[in-house]
Each structure stands twice: as C-alpha cells, then as structure tokens.
C-alpha cells in the first residue's frame, strides 16, 4: 500500500523543504477513542479526537526538523487558530484520524513518524477490545536544506525501507487501549491495575514490538507514554460456541467463548534460517507464548465451576542450543560446545522459572536415520546440554515415530503423544479467574498455573502446534467434565451450531486450497470426513489452532503450516497431503528468495532509532576493567597427529606460554592455528571442504585435557573450524565461560583462484566481556619468485581486507576483521627470502646449522625469540632475513607489508632462526630448499602488549614436521560496560558462573558515565602501554567493584627492527616509559574520571608531561627536547610528528635510525576537552592505526618537556578546537508559538522549533 501521498516532494519539488501532506480522511467507525494528527509546515501535532469547541485540548507537538517533542494544553478554538497560523498560507491543516501512534523509524538518515490509520476489532472481551492493524502510514520528518542535495540519492532507499516496515506492521500486529495485551491474564490479575495511560511504559519488553520506536520520544523530558500503544505480533482469535440444542444462543448468550492469543517475542526475532537456537542472553528463536482462554458464561447450579475466565499457557521456542543451518539441504551445525552453551541455557532456564514456575522441556525431534544429520545432531546436542544443568525436567517425544497422520488413527496418535506429558500438565495447573470481567481483579483467584510445558521441534511450527493443540483440548475437556451439567454435555455434541468467529487467521485451509478455489473448498468441507469424527467443540478448537499454526508459520517462514490442513481434517487426507507439499515448496522458495529482505525489515524495525537533533538516551560505553592474556601458537603439522604422542601437546603449550612457575598471568585465552592437518590431495579438497570433523574433535578433547594439566585450571572450547587441512581453535579458561558472547566463524578459500580450500583462511571471533577478539589461521600459496610473492600478498589482502568473513549471506551480523579490539593472524604464510639471482647462500646455510641451541630450555622445548629463555639467533642468520624477507625485508618491495599497514597489523621482532624446511624428526634443514621464515604470528598494532614471540622446537618433541611451531603471548585490555562486575581471575572463588539473576530484566542498560566522548567506544578502549599497577587504582570507581590485581612481573618484552647485527636489547617497556616520563600522572586509558589537568594543582600540572606539549624555544622552534645520543627505546613516551603537528606516542619498535610508534590517547575525563584532546593524534580525526610506521628518529621524534603549549602545531599555535554547533535560528513558527514555553533541556532546536517552545 502507498505511503502518505507524494511524501517524496520534500526532496524534490518544494522550494522551502517543507512537505505538504494530505490526510486520507479515514473513517474511525468501530475504532473508538483515537487521535487526530495535524501536519503543519514545521510540526506534527497529535490531539485527542473527542474534543469540541470550548473544551480543553491536550496535545503533543513534534518538530519535523529536529524531532524535539513536548506536550501542552489549550482550548479547542485556540489550538485551531494556532495551527492555522503555523501552516501559513495553506490555512488550517486537515486532521488525520489515527487509531494508534507507534513511534519513529529512522533509516538512511531520514526519520518517519509511524501511525496506524486503519484497524479492525478482532476481539471484544467484556467491553475491552483488541485491534488488528490493517494499514499504517509513515509521515516523514523534514530534511535540513543543506543536507537535501546529499540525501536525494538515498530517497529511494529510504522509501523502500520504510514501506517494508509499513507492510510488515500492517498484518499480524495487535494492540489494545483497554488492557496490557503484552501480558497474560494471570500476570495482569496479580499485578497492580495498569491505567490505559501507562500501557506503553508498563508493557513487557519481550512482546512489545515498538518499545524501541517510542524511545526517541519518551526519553525527552515531559513526554508521557499515554500517546503510544504497545503492539504485539502473533495471533488473536475469538469464537463463541453454542450447543446443537440451542443454536440461536449466539454471542453473549453462548455458554462458551474460546479466545486464543499468541505473542511472538521480539528478542532474537527473525526468519527461519536467520534466527534459530539460543543466543548469549538466553533468548531463543521463534519464541511464542500461547494462551488458551475460555470464558464460561453459563453453568448449572450444581457445577463446581463458576462463571468467569479460565486459561492455560504454553510456550514454544527453538531448541535451546547454539546451532545453525544454512538451508534445508544442509546439515545442522552446532556452533558452541556443551560447556559454554550450558551457560546460556541456564540463563534461559532461570528466566523460565522466574516467569512461569516449574518447567518441562518437551522435544519432538526425530532420531530416524533419514534425519541423522539434522534433527539427530540437534537432539544429541540438546540432550548433552540439558544433562549438564541440575534440576531440569525434560522428555523426548519422537513425534515422527508416534504420529503417522493417518485419518483412521489420527486422534489416537495425538492422544498417545499427549499421554507422555499429561501428568506434568495436571501438576502445573491452570488459571481459574472465576470472575465476570476480563482483566479487572474483583475477587481472589481460585487457582493459578504454577508451571509450563516448553515444546520444541525443528522449527517449532507444525509438530509443536499439534502437540500444544492436543494438550489444550485435553485440559479443556477435563475442566468441562469436572464441571458437569450443561458444560459436560458439550463434549458429546457432534453437531453443534457453527461457532461465530472473529479475529485473525485464514478462514479456510489457505494455501493450496486458495489456489484451487471453489473445488478446494469443496474438498476441504467433505462431510464424510469433517463431521462425526470428533466432538464439535474439538473441531472448533482444532480450527482455531490450525489458523494459529498457519499464522505463526507465515510470520516465521513466509508460508503456511504443513500440518494445518491435516489438523482441520483430522488426518492426512489427499487434499491435506497436496496442501503439505505446496506449503513445503513455498517455504523453500521464501527461504531462498525472500528471507533476506524480510530479515532486513525486522532488523530495521527492532534496531535503535534516533531523531535528527532531539535529546537521546545516554549510551553505556566500554572501558577497561583489567587485562586479558592471549596465547597463540601456529604450526604446519604436515599430517602428523602430534597430540597422540605423549607429552608433545603439553610441550607445545609450555613453549608458547613459558614456564608456568614464571608466568605473571596465566593465559585467559589459548588459540591453536594448524595447517596441513590433512594431506592437501585433490580428493581431500573435494570431500573434506570443512575439514575432518572427527580429527578436529579428537584434538579438541586432547587440548582441553592438556591445557588443564599445564596451566592448572580447566579450559573450554569456544569454537573450532576447519577447511581441508586448515584449523583454528579457540579455548577459554572456564572461569570466563559466563562472559563469552557473539561467537562466530568463517572460511575464505584462496586455492584455485578462490575455488578450493587447500589454501586460504579459517577464522573465529568472539567477545570476552566486551573485548572483541578475531583469530585467523592462514595458509598461503607456496613457491618462490616475485609472481608467487604477489599472489600471496593478494590472498592476504582478500583475507584481511576483502568481503567480511563473518555474517550471513543476507548481510546480517556482518563483522569485518578490522572491527575487533584484538586481531591475531597466525599460520604458514609461505613468505620466502627474495634473494637476488645467483646469490651465494652457503655461508647462510652453515650459520643455520648451529643456530638452534643444543641445551633444552623453556620447559622442555628449545624456545628462541623475544621474551624467551633461549638466546637470539646470530647476525649471520638474521642478516639475510632483515634484508630479503618478503614481508619486512629492507631490500625487497613488499606488497604484503602494505597489506599489513592497511589492516593495522604488526609483527614482533623476529629473533629466531628459519622455521622451514626441516628434515622430519631432525634439527637439520633440507638442503634442497632455501630456508625461510614461513611461520609467523601477526597481531593488532594498537592496544597490544607482547610478552613472548618466538619459535619452538628441538628435543622437546616438536620435530615431527618439516616446519617449526611459532608462538606468541599477548596482552590487551579487558573491556566491560561500567557498572558490571569484572570476570573472575585465576584462583578466585568464582568458577564458571551460573546464569545471571538479572536476566529477567534484560534490556535495562546501566547508567552511562557522565561524560561526552569524542571517539567511538571501540576506539576509546584500546591501549598503547598499560603500565603495571596504574589500572587498579581507578577501576573500583569505574565498575563499582575492586578489579583483579595486576601482578608486577618480569620484563615486558619489546623489540626493535631486525638488523644485520641483531644486537638490539630486549627492553622492559614499562621501565622505559617510566624513565622517559617519570612524572606522568594520567593513564591514556583512564576512563574512571581520574585526575585531569584542570583539577591538578599548578605544580602538578606543570610537572606532568601529559599536561602539555611545549616548545623549548618560545614557540618558534621544534617542540619538546632533543633525543639523547642513545636514541629511543621500546616503550618510551615521546612526541611524534605528523603533518606539522606533534602528538604524544609510545615507541613500539626501534632500530637502524627508524621506529614505529603507537599514538596515545587522553584520559577519559579529558576526552572531549579541546585543550586536552588536541594534544593527541585522535583530535585530528585521522585513522590512529596509520601514520606510525618507520618514522625517522632524527627528524620526527622528540621528547616532551615540562612547559605549556599546544600539540596542534610545532610553533606554539593557539588552541584550536572543533567548531561549536551553530546556534538555533529564531525564525519561523513552531513549538514555542504553539506551547508558549521554553524548550526542553538539552534539545537542539532548528528553525521553527524556537518559536514553538517560546
């Protein structure tokens, strides 16, 4: 249906940028109380419809320019006169009758006000009505004149996007202005009465689909929720039922009224293949709460049942396991191990218990051989996960083996299925309200429902609907039998009068029957099968549940239920089978061609929305809460199952992490990167595109045991992924299992020009608290020569900078490699030495023969490199590397190095001998190949401290392959949202935590810190050099709890550039930083509001290098002080030049007159203060990950001094801050003229807004 007529005129045809809207003139008959919306040149004004001359009118005005909203009152005549004045020459605007105001949608930089213009009554419950939305309109906000030209190109996209939202909301969404439709009857009766004016604010966030749409307006001061109505997606249908003895008893004279309400959750909302299983918050896909209500209007005097409402609640949701399936032709993939998955399942279970009481999990998955790779995998994973949580009751009902669908035995088969959970159904009870009116408490409840049956099949649609219908019928028949008299006779009436129906759902069979028209209707109403087989009341109930099943299936899959016709007919008749086949094909079509766009519409509607310049809710930002240690090891194992050899896997872990007794911090995360786990044969490339699952599982089981044995605490697998011979596996300490979220994995094929997986990359990503980690295992093209080097560089570019590795094909949840706090790329890069032709390498080979120490060091493994106990390799070994290595050699043109700069990745100093190629089982190099440093570990440039980086090998057992393993030990900041408890450290009493008790209050964000940050939170959280002991001083203020102490440790290892004579010292970066800046008071990552320069005493401020960047020559020369003769050291605090400005930085690498630096950041309290932030590189607005490589020390590096000055220029220029926002223009008519009041605090007004607020 079209949007408001000609709304695109605001882009094209109007000179002043104002859109002229012509109301539809909707008839509000049957809608009752509603709103009138007036559109003026600068405002949308909403008033109550029931007003007349002389009455006082309440209204809310919303600026079409800024989105600022405010309420007011006036007389009817006074308001009409003001509206006429505000609309100028166009005269008094005509009102648009609206049934409900849903909120604001923002897309493609354009905002819209969403209003319901047509709605129909689907249920009248004792005078309290439920409406189904049948048409909406999206009323556009006016664009800024300066922005109009830029946004014209996006007008079509905005139109299409908002039209899709309008189409979505115009079917299957319900609201009521009389009672809270988001809550079941028992909840409403137990809670305090909710006035109609508070329905929006008190609605259940789980089922109110427009909470996020009204937030941009409700967050503004003075705007009350009375103007908005919560909407629910799902199903509502009401049917009156009369016996055959009194066919004229209709409507309120009928003895029974059957009401069926289904509420779909807006959390983890999505389409069939995009929203399945469990998420980190304990939410499941396709979650539906179904409430079967029965109104007993008449009963005999001897009946035990009183007139009033009774109800039974059941729930359904996707199998509570982390799983996914790309299409119906693919198998099921379980994406999270049982240990980590049980954490989210426990959250889900705790919420169910808090919400409903006792819970029975009923699984209808099949164990048949035909479904071994789909439902069998899922059922086994679910069973293993349920067993890990004490106290969970669950039953497996193999629906496919019990219910055949045969017409002659359909009722008996459903009864047999329901019998298996009937005892639980009885023990949970039901609601007996025993009152005449709906939802208004008059007397104590006779009975309450104390538990719920949670049902799932594969998609929670067809089989689940059949079981829930049968349970509802069993419950109803039991209640009516116990009542006796007239009600009990209804159960034996096989020819009752037709039930009067009102509500949603297809009138007949739908689907294939609609295609056949009258012939289909004739087949569906065959009297030989539709009458006499079951009581008339049961037939009515089945028809209601069949309509429910079709509606839920349409909302989830785009097609009707495959069992709907069978439920209506009482079995799989010929017509029902044809209907099932038709709907199956329809589902497949929707999944292939429509689900992507439908998912995008859902994501848009349920996303965050902001109005142009209106006040917005504060957002909580991440901040450091401790340190995170990550161990990474890569090895081309050349098809060897090394983990089966005693002690070899343990030695690999010891060599990577170092001697356990000397570890300052035990690794929190361990990442294994392997290449050639399988032979790279043509057969394996074709048949093992996803790797050998059995082989990977065997290693993962061995790794969990070895990690606990070596590191002294249990570990759990986060995710593992293979591709032919490639493998990446991430493991996390079990104490952090409750803080892992957003796990994903991806593959990128690079062999045969991107068509084969023998070369390429596999990657996993996850978050620890709020620290996003991405780890990749790569295997690039082999071979020597410039052509091969260029091919490797192209493959690396495609992996790191190409299409995102994570996210669905529809573009949902796309995360690029660069959008992580810590990126680790490890593997066999196959980088070789770019030696000149005819180069003599005999001396180089001779030097390599004795390059590995003969004495075992580093815990049983020969470890050589930065931070390791083994000595560094000699200059005769590292000289050719530093000159000719394809990645970082000084004498070769490296395309790969350019890729790393663009991806903001770096490598530590390579102080170990060549890792390729060895004779297997020996320490001797293969004489037929030129030795090379093929195996490397790269990591993020910003925010990482490197403690170890080197190669492992020798008598420790790691000699079985022709490569040597390479490991690294890294540290980064652990980020969290302020107000949340930090995760436990090793040795703390908190082990793997149980589900958070606060899961029921999900969605309530903690208060954000009261400061304005100029940079996004992801950037504001990275660190350059987090000095030991500083963080513990301030984190208790930040997070409300004392952080884990940061131990003081051995040297924090740094490194310089490899040189011909590798005599660069391994410097303690922490000590170097303190020596360079002994009085530095501000940590660059202090988000706790630590001491700022403005609050310092003058003496302290003048003595702090972080308080000023100054010129030593009165502003006429270079800033700061010259460097000492010995140059710079790793970790040193310096001034670095860029584009004429000098900014704070730390040295990360140094050597041969060059250095790499990482730009520093201001303390959190000073982030948005111009006089402080301008001294930092982030104030320039340029990419902080660039412009810090290979700076000449003599000309671009200085030392800070202790005098004042500006860092923006080297000549003492005055402070230059960002331009202040333009003042609001006091022109035009708007909110001030309408209200005669002042603007809300914090609002940014434009144009007519100033006049509106007065």
């Amino acid at each position: 249906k079209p949007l408001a007529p000609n709304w695109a005129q605001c882009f094209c045809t109007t000179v002043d940028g104002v859109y002229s809207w012509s109301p539809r003139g909707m008839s509000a008959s049957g809608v009752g109380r509603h709103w009138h919306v007036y559109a003026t040149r600068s405002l949308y004004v909403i008033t109550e419809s029931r007003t007349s001359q002389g009455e006082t009118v309440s209204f809310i005005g919303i600026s079409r320019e800024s989105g600022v909203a405010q309420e007011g009152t006036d007389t009817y005549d006074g308001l009409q006169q003001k509206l006429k004045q505000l609309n100028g020459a166009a005269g008094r605007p005509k009102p648009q009758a609206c049934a409900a105001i849903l909120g604001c949608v923002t897309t493609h930089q354009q905002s819209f006000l969403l209003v319901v213009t047509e709605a129909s009554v689907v249920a009248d419950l004792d005078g309290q009505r439920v409406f189904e939305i049948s048409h909406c309109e999206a009323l556009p906000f006016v664009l800024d004149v300066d922005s109009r030209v830029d946004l014209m190109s996006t007008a079509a996209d905005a139109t299409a996007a908002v039209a899709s939202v309008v189409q979505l909301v115009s079917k299957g969404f319900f609201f009521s202005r009389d009672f809270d439709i988001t809550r079941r009857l028992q909840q409403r009766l137990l809670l305090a009465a909710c006035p109609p004016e508070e329905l929006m604010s008190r609605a259940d966030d789980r089922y109110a689909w427009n909470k996020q749409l009204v937030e941009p307006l409700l967050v503004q001061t003075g705007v009350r929720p009375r103007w908005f109505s919560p909407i629910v997606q799902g199903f509502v249908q009401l049917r009156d039922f009369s016996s055959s003895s009194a066919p004229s008893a209709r409507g309120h004279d009928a003895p029974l009224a059957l009401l069926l309400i289904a509420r779909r959750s807006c959390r983890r909302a999505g389409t069939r293949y995009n929203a399945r299983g469990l998420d980190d918050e304990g939410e499941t896909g396709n979650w539906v709460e179904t409430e079967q209500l029965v109104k007993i209007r008449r009963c005999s005097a001897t009946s035990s049942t009183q007139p009033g409402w009774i109800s039974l609640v059941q729930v359904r949701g996707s199998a509570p396991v982390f799983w996914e399936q790309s299409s119906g032709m693919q198998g099921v993939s379980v994406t999270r191990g049982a240990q980590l998955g049980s954490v989210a399942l426990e959250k889900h279970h705790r919420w169910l218990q808090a919400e409903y009481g006792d819970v029975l999990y009923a699984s209808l998955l099949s164990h048949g051989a035909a479904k071994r790779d789909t439902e069998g995998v899922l059922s086994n994973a679910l069973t293993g996960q349920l067993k890990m949580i004490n106290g969970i009751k669950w039953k497996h009902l193999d629906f496919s083996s019990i219910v055949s669908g045969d017409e002659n035995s359909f009722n008996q088969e459903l009864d047999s299925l329901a019998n298996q959970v009937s005892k639980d159904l009885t023990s949970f009870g039901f609601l007996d309200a025993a009152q005449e009116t709906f939802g208004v408490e008059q007397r104590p409840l006779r009975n309450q429902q104390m538990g719920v049956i949670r049902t799932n099949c594969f998609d929670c649609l067809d089989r689940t609907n059949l079981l829930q219908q049968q349970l509802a019928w069993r419950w109803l028949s039991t209640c009516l039998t116990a009542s006796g008299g007239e009600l009990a006779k209804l159960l034996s009436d096989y020819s009752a009068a037709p039930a009067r129906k009102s509500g949603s759902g297809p009138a007949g069979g739908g689907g294939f029957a609609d295609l056949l028209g009258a012939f289909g209707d004739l087949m569906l109403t065959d009297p030989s099968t539709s009458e006499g087989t079951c009581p008339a009341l049961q037939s009515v109930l089945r028809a209601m549940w069949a309509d429910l099943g079709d509606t839920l299936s349409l909302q989830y899959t785009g097609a009707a239920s495959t069992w709907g016709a069978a439920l209506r007919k009482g079995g799989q008749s010929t017509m029902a089978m044809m209907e099932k086949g038709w709907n199956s094909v329809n589902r497949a079509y929707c999944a292939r061609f429509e689900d992507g766009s439908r998912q995008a519409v859902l994501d848009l509607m349920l996303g965050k929305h902001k109005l142009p310049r209106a006040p917005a809710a504060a957002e909580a930002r991440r901040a450091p809460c401790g340190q995170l240690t990550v161990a990474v090891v890569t090895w081309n194992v050349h098809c060897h199952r090394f983990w089966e050899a005693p002690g070899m896997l343990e030695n690999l872990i010891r060599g990577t992490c170092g001697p356990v007794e000397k570890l300052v911090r035990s690794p929190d995360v361990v990442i294994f990167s392997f290449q050639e786990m399988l032979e790279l044969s043509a057969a394996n490339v074709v048949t093992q595109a996803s790797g050998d699952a059995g082989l990977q599982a065997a290693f993962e089981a061995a790794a969990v045991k070895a990690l606990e044995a070596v590191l002294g605490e249990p570990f759990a697998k986060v995710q593992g992924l293979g591709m032919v011979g490639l493998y990446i596996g991430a493991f996390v300490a079990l104490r952090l299992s409750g803080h892992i979220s957003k796990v994903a994995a991806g593959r990128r094929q690079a062999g045969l020009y991107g068509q084969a997986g023998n070369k390429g990359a596999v990657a996993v990503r996850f978050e620890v608290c709020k620290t996003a980690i991405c780890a990749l295992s790569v295997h690039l093209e082999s071979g020597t020569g410039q052509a091969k080097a260029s091919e490797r560089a192209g493959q690396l570019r495609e992996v790191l900078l190409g299409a995102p590795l994570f996210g669905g094909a529809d573009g949902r949840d796309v995360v690029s490699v660069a959008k992580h706090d810590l990126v680790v790329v490890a593997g066999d890069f196959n980088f070789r030495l770019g030696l000149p032709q005819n180069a003599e390498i005999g001396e180089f080979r001779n030097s390599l023969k004795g390059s590995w120490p003969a004495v075992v060091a580093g815990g049983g493994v020969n470890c050589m490199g930065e931070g390791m106990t083994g000595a560094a390799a000699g200059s005769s070994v590292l000289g050719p590397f530093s000159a000719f290595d394809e990645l970082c050699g000084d004498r070769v043109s490296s395309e790969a190095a350019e890729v790393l700069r663009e991806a903001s990745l770096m490598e530590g100093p390579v102080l170990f001998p060549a890792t390729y190629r060895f004779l297997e089982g020996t320490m001797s190099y293969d004489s037929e190949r030129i030795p090379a440093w093929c195996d490397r570990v790269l990591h993020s440039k910003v925010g990482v401290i490197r403690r170890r980086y080197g190669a492992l090998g020798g008598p420790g057992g790691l000699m079985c392959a022709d490569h040597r393993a390479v490991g690294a030990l890294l540290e980064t900041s652990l980020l969290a949202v302020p107000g949340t408890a930090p995760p436990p450290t090793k040795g703390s009493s908190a082990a793997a935590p149980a589900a958070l008790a606060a899961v029921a209050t999900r969605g309530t964000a903690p208060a954000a810190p009261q400061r304005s940050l100029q940079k996004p939170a992801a950037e504001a959280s990275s660190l350059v050099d987090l000095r030991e002991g500083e963080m513990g001083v301030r984190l208790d203020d930040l997070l409300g709890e004392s952080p884990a102490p940061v131990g003081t440790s051995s040297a924090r290892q740094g490194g310089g550039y490899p040189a011909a004579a590798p005599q660069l010292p391994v410097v303690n970066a922490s000590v170097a930083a303190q020596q360079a800046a002994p009085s530095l008071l501000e940590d660059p990552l202090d988000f706790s509001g630590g001491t700022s320069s403005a609050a310092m005493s003058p003496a302290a401020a003048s003595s702090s290098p972080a308080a000023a960047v100054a010129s030593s020559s009165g502003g006429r020369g270079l800033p700061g002080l010259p460097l000492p003769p010995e140059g710079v050291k790793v970790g040193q605090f310096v001034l670095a030049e860029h584009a004429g400005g000098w900014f704070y930085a730390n040295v990360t690498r140094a050597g041969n007159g060059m250095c790499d630096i990482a730009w520093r950041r201001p303390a959190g309290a000073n982030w948005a203060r111009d006089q402080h932030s301008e001294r930092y590189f982030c104030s320039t607005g340029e990419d902080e990950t660039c412009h810090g490589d290979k700076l000449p020390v003599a000309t671009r590096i200085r030392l800070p001094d202790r005098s004042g000055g500006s860092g923006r220029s080297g000549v003492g220029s005055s402070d230059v801050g960002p331009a202040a926002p333009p003042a609001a223009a006091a022109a035009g008519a708007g909110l001030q003229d309408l209200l005669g009041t002042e603007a809300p605090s914090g609002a940014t007004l434009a144009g007519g807004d100033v006049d509106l607020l007065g």
Side-chain angles (χ1 to χ4, degrees), residues 80-418:
Q80 295 299 317
Q81 184 63 29
K82 287 183 178 180
L83 290 173
K84 182 177 180 180
Q85 295 174 356
L86 290 171
N87 214 31
R92 186 177 70 87
K94 295 180 180 180
Q96 165 71 66
C98 296
I101 310 297
L102 302 186
C104 297
V105 176
T106 300
T107 177
H108 296 86
Q109 306 178 47
Q110 171 73 351
S111 297
F112 301 84
L113 180 66
L114 203 62
V115 299
V116 177
T117 54
E118 292 181 9
S120 57
V121 177
V122 295
D124 191 335
L125 314 167
D126 303 321
Q128 301 184 22
R129 291 176 294 182
V130 179
F131 300 91
E132 181 176 12
I133 299 173
S134 55
H135 187 264
C136 290
E137 286 193 10
L139 313 181
F141 285 73
V142 176
L143 298 174
D144 292 334
V145 176
D146 293 340
S147 303
R148 189 191 317 165
V149 175
D150 296 334
L151 293 181
M152 285 182 64
S153 60
T154 64
D157 293 334
T159 304
V162 77
S164 299
V165 174
V166 167
Q167 183 179 8
L168 171 68
V169 176
S170 297
K171 186 176 182 180
F173 280 83
F174 304 86
F175 70 94
S176 174
R177 291 194 295 264
D178 302 315
F179 67 95
D180 187 357
I181 194 175
T182 66
R183 299 184 186 275
R184 59 191 184 276
L185 178 58
Q186 181 168 309
Q187 275 186 313
R188 296 197 302 272
L189 295 177
L190 294 176
L191 296 174
C194 179
E197 294 78 11
E198 298 180 10
L199 289 176
M200 190 73 245
S201 60
R202 294 176 59 174
D204 190 336
D205 291 352
R206 190 179 303 275
Y207 303 112
W209 280 64
N210 61 326
K211 273 277 189 176
Q212 68 290 338
L213 301 183
V214 302
E215 183 181 358
L217 296 171
L218 287 181
V219 75
Q220 300 186 44
T221 304
V223 177
R224 293 175 293 172
R226 66 183 294 262
W227 303 98
F228 312 102
S229 300
I231 60 173
V232 170
Q233 187 187 41
F235 177 86
V236 177
Q237 191 176 107
L238 175 67
R239 295 201 184 197
D240 297 315
F241 182 81
S242 301
S243 65
S244 58
S245 60
S248 60
R250 305 297 299 275
H252 292 288
D253 295 329
L256 288 182
L258 305 178
L259 175 63
L260 186 58
I261 300 178
R263 305 173 183 90
R264 297 193 74 220
S265 172
C266 60
R267 299 177 181 174
R268 194 159 176 76
T271 55
R272 186 183 184 192
Y273 290 105
N274 294 308
R276 277 177 158 174
L278 196 62
D279 70 6
D280 297 300
E281 304 300 329
E283 306 291 346
T284 60
N286 199 25
W287 179 261
V288 184
E289 177 187 80
T290 306
E291 184 177 17
Q292 176 69 71
L293 297 115
V294 179
K295 174 68 179 291
I296 299 176
R297 294 195 175 104
R298 296 198 316 270
C299 55
S300 61
T302 59
S303 174
S304 61
T305 302
Q306 298 182 16
W309 288 94
I310 59 176
S311 77
L312 176 72
V313 174
Q314 302 180 72
V315 294
R316 70 178 78 184
S318 185
V321 177
F322 288 89
W323 66 283
E324 59 187 25
Q325 184 188 26
S326 57
S327 71
M329 305 299 294
Q330 303 295 324
V332 165
S333 174
V334 178
T335 60
R336 194 83 60 93
Q339 284 182 308
L340 294 184
S342 63
V343 175
L345 175 58
E346 189 171 1
K347 291 180 183 179
H348 181 69
H349 182 63
R350 293 288 178 86
W351 172 77
L352 283 173
Q353 288 181 316
E355 186 76 7
Y356 301 103
D358 292 336
V359 184
L360 172 68
Y361 292 77
S363 173
L364 305 180
L365 295 170
S366 173
H367 282 172
K371 298 184 178 181
R372 182 181 296 112
D373 294 335
T374 54
E375 297 189 25
V377 172
L378 186 57
S379 181
N380 292 335
L382 177 60
T383 301
Q385 199 159 280
L386 289 171
K387 289 180 178 179
M388 297 188 67
I389 301 179
N390 295 327
I392 282 188
K393 297 188 296 183
W394 58 280
K395 290 184 178 180
H396 177 256
L397 315 176
D398 194 336
F399 181 97
S400 300
S401 64
I402 299 174
V403 180
S404 65
D406 183 80
E407 294 178 277
N408 299 320
S409 59
F410 189 66
N411 293 336
Q412 293 77 9
E413 291 170 350
L414 291 182
D415 273 337
S416 176
L417 189 70

Side-chain angles (χ1 to χ4, degrees), residues 832-833 835 841 844-845 916-917 926 928-932:
R832 306 302 173 93
L833 296 181
L835 299 172
I841 61 171
F844 173 55
R845 287 186 181 276
Y916 173 84
R917 178 183 184 187
D926 187 346
E928 296 182 359
R929 301 288 180 91
I930 299 177

Side-chain angles (χ1 to χ4, degrees), residues 72 261 429 489 512 591 594 710 797 805 841 849 858 877 955 989 1034 1110 1117 1171 1213:
I261 300 178
K489 293 180 180 179
F512 194 67
E594 295 183 359
V710 174
R797 178 179 294 276
L805 284 162
I841 61 171
K849 292 181 180 179
V877 172
S989 58
R1034 301 182 176 99
Q1171 66 271 28
S1213 62

Side-chain angles (χ1 to χ4, degrees), residues 842-865:
E843 182 180 353
F844 173 55
R845 287 186 181 276
N846 292 332
S847 301
L848 283 172
K849 292 181 180 179
S851 58
W852 290 89
V855 180
V856 176
V861 182
N862 280 341
C863 305
M864 297 187 65

Side-chain angles (χ1 to χ4, degrees), residues 1011-1066:
R1011 58 178 64 94
S1012 175
L1013 300 183
Q1014 194 175 26
K1015 286 290 179 179
E1019 296 182 16
S1021 336
S1022 53
L1023 77 147
V1024 175
D1025 178 40
L1026 190 62
R1027 294 182 302 285
E1028 312 234 2
E1030 288 189 356
M1031 182 167 287
V1033 179
R1034 301 182 176 99
L1035 280 181
D1036 50 351
D1037 294 334
L1038 175 66
L1039 297 180
E1041 296 194 19
S1042 299
V1046 180
T1048 57
S1049 76
S1050 60
R1052 173 170 294 151
Q1053 304 295 347
Y1057 285 165
Q1063 298 165 351
L1064 299 174
V1066 178

Side-chain angles (χ1 to χ4, degrees), residues 1110-1247:
S1111 170
S1112 60
S1113 57
R1116 293 182 298 273
L1118 294 175
L1121 302 173
L1123 296 174
E1126 60 270 20
V1128 294
K1129 300 178 181 179
V1130 174
Q1132 192 164 1
F1133 177 57
V1134 298
L1135 287 171
E1137 184 272 340
H1138 172 71
W1142 292 81
F1143 306 95
Y1144 292 149
N1146 280 97
V1147 177
T1148 58
R1149 303 174 73 184
N1152 295 335
M1154 309 289 285
C1155 73
D1156 286 358
I1157 56 94
W1159 303 107
R1160 296 196 67 144
R1161 290 179 172 177
N1166 296 331
W1167 191 272
R1169 299 183 182 180
D1170 297 341
Q1171 66 271 28
H1172 296 281
S1173 61
E1174 69 171 1
R1175 298 162 186 157
Y1176 295 84
F1177 187 79
C1178 60
S1179 65
T1180 65
E1182 297 195 49
D1183 189 350
E1184 294 175 86
T1185 63
C1186 303
H1187 314 298
D1189 297 331
K1190 297 187 177 181
L1191 303 185
V1193 174
T1195 59
R1196 298 185 63 183
I1197 301 296
R1198 304 275 290 178
L1199 293 181
D1201 68 1
R1202 300 183 180 182
S1203 60
S1206 170
R1208 182 73 62 176
S1209 170
V1211 294
S1213 62
S1214 59
D1215 292 349
V1216 179
L1231 281 176
Q1232 289 189 359
D1233 283 339
L1234 185 63
L1235 298 176
T1237 59
E1238 295 187 1
S1241 174
T1244 303
L1245 307 181

Side-chain angles (χ1 to χ4, degrees), residues 681-766:
S681 63
N684 284 338
V685 169
V686 175
T687 62
Q688 301 287 353
S690 299
D692 189 327
L695 198 66
Q696 295 166 17
F699 165 76
E700 290 163 357
V704 169
K705 295 180 181 179
L707 287 169
E708 182 173 8
V710 174
L711 300 178
E713 62 174 323
F715 275 72
K717 184 189 78 169
V718 177
Q719 180 66 291
L721 189 70
M723 182 176 73
V724 191
L726 269 172
Y727 172 79
I728 184 76
F731 297 78
V732 66
L734 197 59
R735 55 185 156 82
L736 295 174
S737 60
H739 301 271
I740 303 299
S741 62
K742 298 184 179 179
V743 180
R747 300 180 178 92
R748 178 61 47 79
Q749 295 179 342
L752 295 178
Y753 303 99
Q755 302 302 313
N758 59 316
K759 295 292 188 291
V762 289
V764 298
R765 62 97 53 198
F766 55 96

